[in-house]
Amino acid sequence: MKLEKVVTRPKIGLWVFLFIVGLAVAGVMATSYNIEVVKHVNFESVPWLKIILGSLGFISIISALILFFYRLLREMKVSQIQADFLDRISHELRTPLATLTLVSDLLKNETNSPAEIAQLWKSHGLELTRLKSDVELLLQAARLRETKLRAELKVLDLENWLSEKWESFQDLLGTGAILSRQGSKLDGSVQIDPVLFELIIRNFLDNARKFSLGKPVVQIRTEKTETGWFKKKGWRLSIVDQGLGFKPQNQNYLFRRFSRLPQRANDKSVAIPGTGLGLYLSASASRAMGITLRGVSLGEGKGAEFSLEGDFKS
Amino acid sequence: MKPAASILLVEDEVNLAETLQLSVQKLGYQVIWAKNLAEARSELTKKRFDLMILDRNLPDGDGIELLTHPLRKKSLALILSSKSALQERVKGLQAGADDYLPKPFSYQELAARLQALERRRPEISVEDEKVPDLWVMNPDTQQVLSPNGWISLTPLEYKFLSYLIERRGTIVSKDRLLKDVWGFSFLPKTRTIDYLMTQIRKRIEPNPEAPQFLLTIRGAGVKFNA
């Protein structure tokens, strides 16, 4: 993963910085020369060029200091983002690895009952899927930095696609989670990239799982829409959870890379899971497919709703 | 011979928690699983545990918060965390953990660490086994023992809460509260009670967003449920 590329800025800033520092040094020299001149010579006889150079030098020093502190603060922010990201990614990868290691060790145990063996294999499958999707997410995000995400659009029946994937979505939410379907059937063909579309849905469901305090309760709502002057027929698929939610004013932060929502003021230690890449990648994927993506929440603790909207293929 | 140790497992990741539960049961321990801090605090009010296995990245906080819980009472604590950096391990141990095992770990190592902790298990007196009564009020320090530990209250909060605790289980109307706690002879329309309850809930309830003790009964009043 090319983390350096993600967090660094073009080198031009360094040259601008060096130029201003050079100007500042020249300014200091000119100013000190100026002072010497002013000490001994009548002010009116001092050439204006020296006065201007002195003033420029002073302005340059101030500018250099401002730029220096600006860069310092930015570097501090970047290293904070880096540390935070590494901490989160470490958690996201180590947890499934811990389960897989433990499951492998337990499977070697000959005293396992058939029910225990079944449970262990189920955990193994789920964690492997989770690990694979986390790694895929990271790779996609790294690739996205290099090139624009390209969608390979295919015409398919969204209703059938949902039915095929339903079981894997339930597995993703984990044991005891409730996944239900509401709304009208989406009869008709749509043009989407099934891989990217699945990545988005899995990402929403994974967020619903991560941000639920108890067992996740998630609804997939589907409805037909009519938009624009010509009442173009479209579809909307929403994923509604009852998790931590977010403040409506933080809605715009959600789809930025490495975005972390501000923690609740009275809840200093709340651990917000995730890598900060999932929604960024989902937004890029939906743009590539020409689909509208929205995320809304009524507020903290009131759950969130992420919806995808597109047109039916006529 | 000591009886099988009881373990409180605090882990939010369902698959890992279920696998850990199975692993620990195979080693002969009794396990209770809590998915978050709120559930763990609630479990601590029900019984004393010999060992606690704590995760740190929990949805409602850091597992090390439980290390200073007043109801921990001689429980040994093992932290299992993906926070494996030296300073994080030191932080966990300094906060009161007896051991720190970074994720991922093998079953053999987990078993060895638990057995090592088991050898250090202190003798527990009958007094230690007792779980103290919650909602004991201390008028000298203006504190109450809640599932979150001893909580300091302001004089008004103390008066309000002790009034409700004395009448636990019964619904008290807001008018009655304004008269008895605030001493109002007239009954103004005010949100004072709601505001005060929100403030108290934040500190005494394991999950203030879903209160289980200090309840508002719509159209009737307020009830302390414990």
Side-chain angles (χ1 to χ4, degrees), chain A residues 87 90-91 94-95 97-99 101-103 105-106 108-109 111-113 116 119-120 123 126-127 130 174-175 209-210 212-215 244 264 266-267 269-271 300-301, chain B residues 11-16 18-20 22-23 26 33 35-37 39 55-62 65 81-84 88 102-108 110 202 207 209:
Chain A
D87 191 37
S90 153
H91 178 254
R94 280 171 188 267
T95 303
L97 269 178
T99 315
T101 314
L102 213 49
V103 166
D105 289 345
L106 281 173
K108 288 175 200 156
N109 196 328
T111 59
N112 295 322
S113 68
E116 285 170 348
Q119 188 201 324
L120 288 170
S123 292
L126 291 174
E127 290 302 301
R130 184 178 157 192
T175 323
R209 181 186 63 81
K210 284 176 192 160
S212 293
L213 278 178
K215 291 198 168 167
L244 291 175
R264 284 180 280 185
N266 59 342
D267 220 350
S269 55
V270 167
E300 286 175 342
Chain B
E11 170 63 64
D12 61 323
E13 295 289 341
V14 179
N15 288 327
L16 180 58
E18 283 176 353
T19 316
L20 269 170
L22 185 63
S23 315
K26 282 198 174 291
W33 170 33
K35 286 188 290 296
N36 48 47
L37 280 182
E39 277 190 24
D55 181 25
R56 290 194 56 191
N57 287 73
L58 295 165
D60 53 350
D62 189 334
E65 285 175 38
S81 176
S82 53
K83 293 184 177 182
S84 59
E88 293 294 346
K103 291 176 187 172
F105 47 84
S106 71
Y107 174 67
Q108 289 80 2
L110 175 71
K202 279 180 192 166
N207 181 10
E209 273 148 22

Side-chain angles (χ1 to χ4, degrees), chain A residues 9-264:
Chain A
R9 297 285 180 276
K11 296 274 187 226
I12 194 158
L14 183 68
W15 289 111
V16 173
F17 177 69
L18 287 175
F19 174 73
I20 292 179
V21 169
L23 211 59
V25 170
V28 169
M29 288 167 73
T31 310
S32 59
Y33 175 72
N34 230 5
I35 290 165
E36 284 303 308
V37 172
V38 171
K39 266 185 195 169
H40 303 292
V41 186
N42 183 0
F43 186 74
E44 283 174 6
S45 65
V46 177
W48 279 108
L49 180 66
K50 287 173 186 167
I51 297 287
I52 291 166
L53 269 178
S55 308
L56 271 177
F58 179 72
I59 292 167
S60 304
I61 293 169
I62 299 295
S63 309
L65 279 173
I66 291 170
L67 193 68
F68 172 73
F69 282 110
Y70 170 73
R71 284 188 67 85
L72 189 71
L73 285 174
R74 207 173 66 177
E75 285 304 318
M76 281 165 70
K77 200 176 165 190
V78 165
S79 59
Q80 179 60 45
I81 291 172
Q82 245 178 337
D84 188 32
F85 176 72
L86 286 175
D87 191 37
R88 277 179 276 131
I89 203 68
S90 153
H91 178 254
E92 292 299 313
L93 297 178
R94 280 171 188 267
T95 303
L97 269 178
T99 315
L100 288 171
T101 314
L102 213 49
V103 166
S104 308
D105 289 345
L106 281 173
L107 281 169
K108 288 175 200 156
N109 196 328
E110 284 169 6
T111 59
N112 295 322
S113 68
E116 285 170 348
I117 293 172
Q119 188 201 324
L120 288 170
W121 277 118
K122 192 179 176 197
S123 292
H124 182 274
L126 291 174
E127 290 302 301
L128 207 58
T129 312
R130 184 178 157 192
L131 197 60
K132 267 158 64 184
S133 58
D134 279 347
V135 170
E136 189 55 35
L137 189 77
L138 284 171
L139 292 175
Q140 289 275 18
R143 269 183 227 133
L144 192 55
R145 185 73 185 158
E146 301 290 322
T147 54
K148 205 177 159 192
L149 200 64
R150 283 184 197 281
E152 287 178 25
L153 298 176
K154 285 178 187 163
V155 177
L156 55 87
D157 187 321
L158 198 54
E159 196 58 47
N160 284 346
W161 185 87
L162 262 179
S163 310
E164 278 170 26
K165 300 286 173 188
W166 192 261
E167 204 177 327
S168 71
F169 291 160
Q170 262 178 330
D171 285 346
L172 181 70
L173 289 173
T175 323
I178 300 169
L179 177 66
S180 61
R181 171 85 189 268
Q182 252 204 356
S184 54
K185 285 202 163 194
L186 296 176
D187 304 319
S189 302
V190 297
Q191 200 169 26
I192 53 171
D193 180 331
V195 177
L196 291 183
F197 197 75
E198 185 173 350
L199 186 124
I200 299 175
I201 305 283
R202 292 186 81 85
N203 186 35
F204 290 163
L205 292 172
D206 201 34
N207 279 350
R209 181 186 63 81
K210 284 176 192 160
F211 292 99
S212 293
L213 278 178
K215 291 198 168 167
V217 179
V218 185
Q219 255 185 17
I220 296 189
R221 288 185 196 156
T222 48
E223 56 190 310
K224 290 179 178 175
T225 58
E226 283 183 345
T227 49
W229 290 94
F230 303 104
K231 303 261 178 210
K232 199 164 185 190
K233 292 198 185 307
W235 54 270
R236 184 185 296 128
L237 188 150
S238 312
I239 293 186
V240 188
D241 67 53
Q242 295 178 7
L244 291 175
F246 50 87
K247 283 184 181 165
Q249 60 264 38
N250 290 332
Q251 206 167 306
N252 294 335
Y253 290 106
L254 291 175
F255 302 104
R256 291 185 193 166
R257 193 174 50 232
F258 301 125
S259 69
R260 313 296 296 149
L261 288 179
Q263 294 186 351
R264 284 180 280 185

Side-chain angles (χ1 to χ4, degrees), chain B residues 99-196:
Chain B
D99 202 354
Y100 198 110
L101 185 55
K103 291 176 187 172
F105 47 84
S106 71
Y107 174 67
Q108 289 80 2
E109 188 176 3
L110 175 71
R113 300 244 191 181
L114 286 175
Q115 280 153 7
L117 284 175
E118 171 100 52
R119 287 196 292 273
R120 286 152 57 190
R121 218 168 107 192
E123 286 300 323
I124 302 298
S125 64
V126 179
E127 202 53 39
D128 287 330
E129 285 290 354
K130 276 187 191 165
V131 176
D133 289 332
L134 282 181
W135 313 116
V136 175
M137 308 287 289
N138 185 339
D140 298 329
T141 56
Q142 300 264 304
Q143 285 182 317
V144 62
L145 182 61
S146 78
N148 297 340
W150 280 103
I151 303 294
S152 295
L153 301 165
T154 64
L156 180 63
E157 286 169 347
Y158 185 85
K159 195 175 172 189
F160 177 81
L161 198 59
S162 53
Y163 183 89
L164 287 174
I165 288 174
E166 278 168 24
R167 290 158 183 78
R168 66 178 75 185
T170 54
I171 299 171
V172 183
S173 73
K174 290 190 175 178
D175 291 351
R176 178 103 226 140
L177 280 165
L178 285 171
K179 270 184 189 162
D180 293 352
V181 178
W182 276 265
F184 286 163
S185 49
F186 64 99
L187 297 171
K189 278 201 180 280
T190 171
R191 303 278 299 165
T192 307
I193 295 177
D194 299 321
Y195 177 74
L196 191 70

